[in-house]
Amino acid sequence: MMRLKFLPLAALLALAGCGTGPTADMGSDAQPDASTTLPYIGNSEPAAPGQDSAATHATVPAFRLHDQDGQLVTNQSLAGKVYLTDFFFATCPGICPKMQSEMLKVYKQYGTTPNLRFISQTIDPEHDSLAVLRDYARRLGVGTPGSSWRFVRASRDTAYALAAAYFTGAMPDAKAPGGIAHSGTFALVDDQGHVRGLYDSLNPQEVTRLQKELPVLLAEVKTRQGQPATAQR
C-alpha cells in the first residue's frame, strides 16, 4: 500500500475544486463515451514489467470505523465496491447542510445501485455519537436498515488523517463556523481503494459532473469483475 503525501488544507481545497476529469467540460446534456475511464488521483510509481498499472496508484490507507448502527466499516468491508465519501459534522452551521443536500441528490439517483455505497464521516466525534449519527440519518430520510448510506465515526485524529487521504481536508479553526474548517469535497473511490474523482459539492456543475462520471466508474468496475456493464439508476 502506498503512502500518500498529505497536502495543506489550502492546497487540498484547491485540488478539490480543480474540475479534473474526462467530462468536466461537457455540456449539461452530454453523456460520457463508453470507452472513457476516470483518472487515478494521487501519487503513483512506474509499473514493473507485467504489473497491472492500477496497482501502482495510491490507495486509501487502512481504516476501522463504526457506522450509526455500531457496525464496523473497513477497507475490507468496502472491497469490491465503489463508494462516495464526504466529511461533515452534525452541528455544522456552515457548508454541511448544502453538502448533504447534494449527497442526497446523488443518493436518490444511485442509492439502490448494487456494489455502491455512500460514506459520510464525522469530523467531530466528541459530539457526534452513534445516537447523534442515527438521528442525523433519520432526519435526512436515509436511516432505514439496509440503506447504502452509512454515517461513520472514529477518533478526531483518524478523521482528519482520512480527510487528507481522500484529498479533502479538516482542521480545528476557532474562526470557522462550528470551530472546524473543512472542504465540501466529495471523493469517489473505486473497488480497489483508489480515489478516482474529486467534486466540489458546493458547485452545481461539479455535482452534475459527478452524476455523469459515477456510471463511468461503475461500468469499469463491473467490466473488471466480469458483470454486465449496465448501471442501475
Side-chain angles (χ1 to χ4, degrees):
M1 182 177 294
M2 293 188 175
R3 184 183 299 275
L4 291 171
K5 294 180 180 178
F6 295 156
L7 301 176
L9 180 58
L12 291 165
L13 290 170
L15 177 60
C18 66
T20 57
T23 63
D25 58 356
M26 285 185 170
S28 59
D29 297 326
Q31 294 297 321
D33 186 88
S35 63
T36 298
T37 59
L38 303 187
Y40 287 84
I41 298 173
N43 303 320
S44 61
E45 298 175 354
Q51 182 183 21
D52 181 357
S53 62
T56 71
H57 296 282
T59 56
V60 176
F63 55 80
R64 290 173 60 86
L65 313 168
H66 286 89
D67 70 14
Q68 70 266 34
D69 296 322
Q71 300 297 309
L72 190 62
V73 177
T74 68
N75 305 70
Q76 289 74 25
S77 68
L78 292 171
K81 301 177 177 64
V82 171
Y83 64 96
L84 186 65
T85 190
D86 69 350
F87 291 80
F88 80 105
F89 58 108
T91 59
C92 173
I95 66 175
C96 294
K98 174 63 174 175
M99 288 174 60
Q100 301 300 32
S101 174
E102 294 302 314
M103 183 72 87
L104 184 60
K105 180 190 302 182
V106 181
Y107 175 81
K108 286 181 176 179
Q109 183 176 7
Y110 290 108
T112 59
T113 301
N115 290 329
L116 174 64
R117 299 293 183 268
F118 297 76
I119 307 293
S120 289
Q121 180 165 328
T122 178
I123 49 179
D124 185 15
E126 289 83 0
H127 174 270
D128 294 349
S129 64
L130 297 186
V132 169
L133 295 179
R134 282 196 300 272
D135 181 65
Y136 193 91
R138 179 189 60 78
R139 288 185 286 112
L140 274 174
V142 296
T144 55
S147 169
S148 61
W149 190 352
R150 313 311 294 164
F151 295 81
V152 301
R153 69 188 298 274
S155 71
R156 186 182 289 259
D157 287 346
T158 296
Y160 287 178
L162 282 175
Y166 289 109
F167 303 97
T168 179
M171 61 184 294
D173 184 346
K175 297 180 180 179
I180 304 174
H182 68 108
S183 78
T185 304
F186 292 164
L188 182 62
V189 185
D190 70 15
D191 57 319
Q192 299 175 332
H194 305 295
V195 178
R196 303 294 297 275
L198 298 172
Y199 310 90
D200 179 2
S201 66
L202 307 181
N203 183 335
Q205 292 181 337
E206 287 284 285
V207 177
T208 297
R209 180 167 68 88
L210 165 60
Q211 291 172 301
K212 292 176 180 178
E213 292 187 351
L214 183 50
V216 173
L217 184 58
L218 289 169
E220 174 194 315
V221 169
K222 287 186 177 184
T223 298
R224 178 161 53 244
Q225 296 178 349
Q227 303 175 31
T230 301
Q232 180 179 347
R233 296 195 179 190

